[in-house]
Amino acid sequence: MSPDKNLNEPKKLDTSSIKTTTLLSFLMYAMILVAFLWVLTSFFLDTYYQKMRTQEVIRTADAVEAQYLKGSTGFDKYVVETAEINGIYIQIKNFEETLEYNGSGISPEKAGFADDITRIDSRLAASDTDSVAETRHTGSSDSEARLVYASRIGSGHDTASLYIISPLYPDQITIRIVKNMLGYITFILLSIACFLAYALSRRITSPIENLTRSATELSQGNYNVRFDGAAFTETKELARALNKASYEMERTDFYQREILANVSHDLKTPLTMIRSYAEKIIDISGDNPEKRNADLQIIISETERLNRLVTDMLSVSNLQSNNVEMHREVFDLAEAAEDVYESFMVLGSSQGYEVHFHPCKPAYVMGDRSRIMQVMTNFVSNAVKYSGDNKFIDIKLVKSNKKVTFHCIDHGVGIPSDEQSHVWDKYYRTSANHERDIEGTGLGLAISKSILNLHSAKYGVKSEEGKGSDFWFEMDTVRKPSPKNKNGKDKADEQIQSDTEK
Ligand code: ADP
């Protein structure tokens, strides 16, 4: 199924989408909150109310006592107001009089407040404390309970008793108000949850949807598409990674096309030559042995070129799939490099190249000597090919700290910095190289890279366009091998041969 088909499908409710999940989570959270509030109100409102009311009565009693003891003139007014505000019945009894203030809205006679006071009075008389309180249930339910409180005020002749009776249940209006409020709170909470869920999910999903749209465009080959991660750090990072991936894809696509063009060109040129010279032999030079032989020689050399290309292709593919036999041994890299140098000395005399060798002390390394020589030969033959008019080439060995580094330095065309990492890729040939039409397969460095990787060697190139290049690799040095045994075989060699990798 194509990605656009998915995007264009009619939208069903997708329970695993961020939008639905956020909406459901918020709604669930709000509903749990509301349910909790309703349970609290329904089951604990009475108990909570009673507790609060009792504390309130005790506080009021303390305040009334303090006012009474002060003997202020406004005492009566204060107690009337206190009884009214708190909806309670207050009685103060001293040697001279009994004062009653009823703000409870209940008739003391009908409710039997006198009995309550007699009972609590006898409890206060029997108690060591200055105040007592009890809850009286006058009916079958909690809603008919009331708190009866008594305390002694003052001492000696001025002693008085304070009684407070307070209903311990919220009145119906209060209950209705609370329930009404809860209804509103429920509605507000659910609305806020829906709004927040919608806003949040839109904020989160809109950058993701943008990224998906851009990714779809990219999958259709539009490399100019930009990924925008909006305000979130995570989506911004994703967008940055996708922008990088898109850039790399564009580059890879470009290089693949380049490579294909190069390979086709390299295969086509010798084939065209072979065909042309074969036709020439048939039409023109067939009867002239001298000319025919010259033409046949060209056909042979073009066939050899084709053969080299195909051999290199096979070689790189075998090396990259690790399908090669390595003959590891301990050998002196300095000596091997000198052998390579000597094989290029001929060029010096014949074609005017100046190849300089800067050896180091013997540097023993473990590896396949002939393959490492193949790498060095490739570096030097490239230096020869790409050295341009400046025909100075330096082969240098540097030994330090259990490492030995081989450098092949030329002062030729150099490699543009953005192409340097690609020269190690299969079939890659730099743009400048193509313009000059220098013969090559674009496989030499890919083969070298595979060989060096098999030796776990470091390698690289330092190059500046127009100034030259320094191709190098570095290997670990090992101890000098022990002298040969009586069969003329190196002991270390024997050991190494048995370890030879397939
Ligand atoms: P080729 O057969 O084309 O030389 P290589 O794999 O050996 O293939 O090299 C790949 C490309 O790297 C070359 O085509 C060339 O463009 C570039 N290159 C390699 N060595 C040098 C060098 N010493 N100077 C400049 N360019 C080089």
Side-chain angles (χ1 to χ4, degrees):
M1 196 186 281
S2 79
D4 1 332
K5 204 175 164 196
N6 266 338
L7 282 183
N8 295 333
E9 266 174 15
K11 286 186 180 158
K12 289 184 263 165
L13 180 71
D14 178 2
T15 47
S16 55
S17 75
I18 293 181
K19 272 185 188 151
T20 326
T21 314
T22 323
L23 184 70
L24 290 180
S25 311
F26 268 82
L27 276 181
M28 193 113 80
Y29 175 68
M31 268 148 64
I32 290 172
L33 221 64
V34 167
F36 187 64
L37 272 179
W38 278 99
V39 168
L40 268 187
T41 319
S42 311
F43 294 102
F44 301 109
L45 183 63
D46 285 347
T47 321
Y48 181 71
Y49 187 86
Q50 285 183 10
K51 212 169 165 198
M52 295 300 291
R53 200 75 182 150
T54 309
Q55 280 173 6
E56 198 52 46
V57 165
I58 293 167
R59 252 197 307 273
T60 309
D62 288 347
V64 170
E65 271 178 43
Q67 288 294 326
Y68 180 84
L69 291 172
K70 259 206 259 168
S72 62
T73 46
F75 177 71
D76 264 353
K77 194 173 168 248
Y78 172 78
V79 185
V80 168
E81 275 173 10
T82 307
E84 282 297 328
I85 291 166
N86 292 296
I88 51 178
Y89 169 86
I90 301 175
Q91 190 185 100
I92 297 168
K93 208 194 298 176
N94 57 26
F95 289 114
E96 292 159 9
E97 56 187 346
T98 298
L99 305 168
E100 270 188 299
Y101 310 88
N102 188 10
S104 71
I106 305 169
S107 155
E109 290 78 28
K110 274 196 199 155
F113 282 1
D115 286 350
D116 290 347
I117 288 172
T118 315
R119 272 169 58 111
I120 197 80
D121 212 21
S122 50
R123 270 196 64 186
L124 181 65
S127 160
D128 297 338
T129 55
D130 279 347
S131 63
V132 286
E134 68 177 22
T135 307
R136 258 182 72 76
H137 292 273
T138 52
S140 57
S141 75
D142 261 5
S143 62
E144 287 164 69
R146 59 179 177 244
L147 178 78
V148 183
Y149 173 90
S151 71
R152 278 189 212 101
I153 313 176
S155 57
H157 185 67
D158 291 335
T159 308
S161 299
L162 166 70
Y163 306 98
I164 297 179
I165 298 176
S166 163
L168 278 182
Y169 48 87
D171 62 56
Q172 285 312 307
I173 296 175
T174 313
I175 291 173
R176 215 171 312 132
I177 289 171
V178 169
K179 289 201 168 151
N180 247 348
M181 249 175 63
L182 263 181
Y184 284 122
I185 289 175
T186 307
F187 175 75
I188 291 168
L189 267 181
L190 291 180
S191 309
I192 291 177
C194 286
F195 172 75
L196 275 183
Y198 177 75
L200 192 71
S201 64
R202 260 194 75 86
R203 233 172 98 77
I204 295 174
T205 52
S206 99
I208 297 177
E209 279 168 1
N210 278 345
L211 291 175
T212 313
R213 250 192 305 278
S214 306
T216 312
E217 276 190 48
L218 178 66
S219 72
Q220 287 160 354
N222 177 8
Y223 296 120
N224 292 328
V225 71
R226 296 304 302 157
F227 289 90
D228 181 12
F232 299 109
T233 313
E234 290 83 354
T235 46
K236 260 194 226 161
E237 253 156 39
L238 177 63
R240 205 172 304 136
L242 285 169
N243 279 327
K244 196 163 176 254
S246 131
Y247 173 69
E248 290 297 333
M249 274 169 77
E250 185 181 7
R251 276 195 354 157
T252 310
D253 194 49
F254 169 77
Y255 286 127
Q256 264 179 3
R257 269 187 273 127
E258 276 274 285
I259 283 164
L260 205 66
N262 293 354
V263 176
S264 318
H265 175 261
D266 287 342
L267 284 171
K268 222 176 145 201
T269 315
L271 283 174
T272 315
M273 296 277 278
I274 291 169
R275 190 194 161 99
S276 315
Y277 278 89
E279 280 172 357
K280 193 179 162 202
I281 292 168
I282 293 171
D283 297 339
I284 307 167
S285 59
D287 298 333
N288 181 335
E290 213 172 291
K291 282 188 178 166
R292 187 190 59 210
N293 284 349
D295 291 344
L296 281 172
Q297 200 49 53
I298 293 174
I299 291 180
I300 289 169
S301 80
E302 288 304 318
T303 330
E304 273 168 3
R305 194 172 148 188
L306 265 181
N307 191 33
R308 259 198 319 275
L309 180 64
V310 175
T311 313
D312 277 359
M313 281 172 161
L314 277 175
S315 174
V316 78
S317 121
N318 281 340
L319 278 162
Q320 286 189 341
S321 58
N322 272 358
N323 188 20
V324 285
E325 208 174 327
M326 298 280 282
H327 300 284
R328 290 186 193 261
E329 61 184 321
V330 174
F331 67 93
D332 181 3
L333 188 74
E335 191 197 303
E338 193 166 359
D339 287 353
V340 173
Y341 159 69
E342 277 165 9
S343 68
F344 278 91
M345 287 240 298
V346 197
L347 283 179
S349 46
S350 64
Q351 293 173 32
Y353 286 95
E354 269 194 45
V355 186
H356 297 278
F357 184 53
H358 312 272
C360 64
K361 284 187 191 149
Y364 291 94
V365 294
M366 163 73 90
D368 187 323
R369 189 177 194 272
S370 65
R371 290 200 187 274
I372 292 293
M373 280 185 70
Q374 192 182 346
V375 173
M376 295 191 283
T377 307
N378 179 238
F379 282 9
V380 181
S381 70
N382 275 351
V384 168
K385 272 199 286 187
Y386 304 108
S387 61
D389 296 336
N390 185 326
K391 297 194 168 183
F392 284 92
I393 293 163
D394 291 294
I395 298 173
K396 197 161 95 181
L397 282 153
V398 181
K399 191 180 170 195
S400 69
N401 209 7
K402 296 188 177 169
K403 307 262 180 211
V404 55
T405 314
F406 172 88
H407 292 269
C408 175
I409 304 160
D410 67 69
H411 309 279
V413 293
I415 305 165
S417 54
D418 59 330
E419 296 190 40
Q420 283 173 21
S421 60
H422 291 284
V423 293
W424 306 93
D425 295 344
K426 273 192 285 187
Y427 306 116
Y428 187 80
R429 307 185 71 197
T430 60
S431 42
N433 174 0
H434 257 270
E435 280 157 26
R436 284 189 307 275
D437 217 14
I438 298 171
E439 197 190 307
T441 60
L443 288 169
L445 288 179
I447 293 173
S448 302
K449 170 182 156 178
S450 302
I451 294 173
L452 292 169
N453 279 339
L454 285 171
H455 285 82
S456 306
K458 284 187 186 164
Y459 56 88
V461 56
K462 250 199 277 169
S463 184
E464 208 176 316
E465 211 177 346
K467 290 203 172 163
S469 311
D470 172 3
F471 278 85
W472 61 270
F473 69 84
E474 182 188 82
M475 291 179 85
D476 291 336
T477 51
V478 294
R479 285 232 312 273
K480 188 180 174 182
S482 52
K484 296 189 185 282
N485 64 20
K486 56 178 184 287
N487 297 327
K489 240 187 160 198
D490 193 305
K491 277 182 193 160
D493 267 5
E494 277 182 348
Q495 178 61 38
I496 294 147
Q497 287 292 343
S498 61
D499 293 344
T500 298
E501 263 188 41
K502 291 273 167 195

